[in-house]
Amino acid sequence: MPAPAPLPPTLLRLARTQEWLLSAGQCDAAGVGAGRRAALRRAGALAVSVRGVDQVLRLADGAPVPVAGGDETAARRRRTAWSALLAAGVERAVATGCCALALHGVDGLPVDVVREVATLPGASHRLRGGTRVRTLAASERARVGTVGAARVVDPVTALAQAVPELTREHAVAVLDSALQRGLVREDELADVRAVVRGRRGAARSASWWDLVDGRAQSPLETWARLQCRDAGVPPHDLQVAVRDATGRTIARGDLGWSLPDGRLLVLEVDGAGPHSAPRALFRDRERQNAVVATGALVLRVAAREVHAGAVPSLVVPHLGAAPAMRDGAGTRRRSVRPAARHPHRTGGS
């Protein structure tokens, strides 16, 4: 049996803007009917995402489709959002909640998020083929915008929808990320909290807002901080400056504690991404040597140790008689603007 004709370039260009997803209607309009799509699935070029939506797996030359930014987890969340939009009809659907946050580029979400949309001018709350359909109030419809080709609710609305439905760890990480990326200002957190008030889950999330800190540059840093806070040893500062003998800042550490003997304990959280590359490892080693030369004590933790909840057990033995602080009183939020990324920092993502 001859191989099916590949998808036309125009359809591939459209798929690229939709996380490599195509609706049946889009394929039909481009002349790729149901029979040809079935043949492309058998050939491994397409795969069903949800009913009426296919994922493109291979390009016309047979090469696998690229992952934007190299982050498959983030791409997976964006595909979930796009599958919901395409299943509901991209011309009338709006990504909401975690799907909207994924398209806005917010980190800290669960690996798998629920497919959810709203349709304009609105629809009742119910499930359709595994897709949650929300109703948008008139004030929320007025705040609908776009990210690329996708129609989405704005970050304030998306956070208010998502936070009460997430765990504390994911909720705080998402809020930290939205602040750090400049999607919301710190003063807008009050707006998010006001919208959350009265929603299901608002009561259990009431104590989370004071834990938010936009200086965290990755969810791993947020989770490490929360673990230490829960253990009664919250860091004294975030993005702590490490200075040499002249007072010049030579680096910034992810989390920092002032030790009783006057030294600084710096915790660096390493992700599995760019820091595993040889060049990054060499640069990190040079930087760590410079930090240690100041007399600071440096601890490095990997993503697996954060996910295992092991950070406090690694930190506590080095704190000596440093006073434990309760309820995160030792950390402070700084400016309402996101912290600038330091060119030589080593935190993970």
Side-chain angles (χ1 to χ4, degrees):
M1 181 180 295
L7 293 171
T10 54
L11 209 52
L12 286 173
R13 286 195 293 270
L14 176 61
R16 183 184 288 271
T17 68
Q18 301 175 164
E19 290 300 322
W20 298 105
L21 296 177
L22 294 166
S23 70
Q26 291 172 333
C27 290
D28 289 339
V32 180
R36 185 169 163 192
R37 294 198 298 274
L40 287 167
R41 291 185 204 115
R42 290 192 295 270
L46 289 181
V48 174
S49 174
V50 295
R51 184 176 179 182
V53 179
D54 277 298
Q55 179 181 348
V56 180
L57 301 180
R58 296 194 174 277
L59 303 175
D61 61 1
V65 299
V67 175
D71 187 342
E72 176 56 39
T73 300
R76 178 173 174 174
R77 299 187 193 107
R78 294 193 301 267
R79 279 197 300 271
T80 297
W82 267 108
S83 70
L85 290 170
L86 291 167
V90 70
E91 70 286 346
R92 61 187 178 87
V94 180
T96 59
C98 289
C99 284
L101 293 177
L103 293 174
H104 280 298
V106 172
D107 291 328
L109 293 162
V111 173
D112 293 305
V113 296
V114 174
R115 291 196 306 275
E116 60 172 275
V117 294
T119 54
L120 297 176
S124 59
H125 290 77
R126 56 198 177 100
L127 294 175
R128 293 179 178 174
T131 299
R132 179 181 186 179
V133 181
R134 287 185 184 264
T135 296
L136 293 183
S139 59
E140 293 173 325
R141 293 199 297 273
R143 301 180 68 151
V144 170
T146 57
V147 174
R151 189 179 284 113
V152 298
V153 295
D154 73 303
V156 168
T157 302
L159 288 167
Q161 292 168 336
V163 165
E165 299 178 354
L166 293 170
T167 64
R168 183 194 67 158
E169 284 67 28
H170 286 298
V172 176
V174 160
L175 290 164
D176 282 358
S177 176
L179 277 174
Q180 207 282 326
R181 290 174 177 269
L183 293 171
V184 295
R185 302 184 308 273
E186 192 159 338
D187 60 289
E188 289 180 306
L189 287 182
D191 297 334
V192 179
R193 190 171 186 177
V195 178
V196 168
R197 194 171 294 118
R199 293 175 183 255
R200 179 180 298 177
R204 74 184 182 92
S205 64
S207 63
W208 301 348
W209 301 92
D210 290 337
L211 303 176
V212 178
D213 195 315
R215 291 175 292 167
Q217 295 189 346
S218 76
L220 290 173
E221 291 179 32
T222 296
W223 297 330
R225 172 169 56 88
L226 291 178
Q227 289 173 27
C228 292
R229 181 254 184 199
D230 291 346
V233 287
H236 297 158
D237 208 354
L238 279 66
Q239 304 308 317
V240 61
V242 181
R243 296 182 172 88
D244 62 16
T246 68
R248 180 175 63 95
T249 299
I250 61 171
R252 290 190 178 274
D254 297 332
L255 308 177
W257 289 260
S258 298
L259 298 176
D261 61 6
R263 291 186 303 155
L264 182 66
L265 170 61
V266 176
L267 181 73
E268 299 277 45
V269 184
D270 295 334
H275 298 283
S276 60
R279 182 177 299 176
L281 288 171
F282 179 75
R283 185 174 63 247
D284 287 351
R285 186 171 66 248
E286 284 190 319
R287 176 181 176 276
Q288 181 167 322
N289 288 341
V291 171
V292 171
T294 69
L297 175 62
V298 180
L299 296 178
R300 304 187 75 97
V301 297
R304 64 180 179 276
E305 292 166 312
V306 177
H307 291 309
V311 176
S313 66
L314 299 172
V315 170
V316 169
H318 299 279
L319 293 180
M325 306 173 83
R326 293 175 296 177
D327 299 327
T331 57
R332 57 185 175 84
R333 289 206 297 270
R334 295 192 294 195
S335 141
V336 298
R337 296 185 300 176
R341 290 187 179 273
H342 192 281
H344 299 300
R345 62 174 299 282
T346 63
S349 60

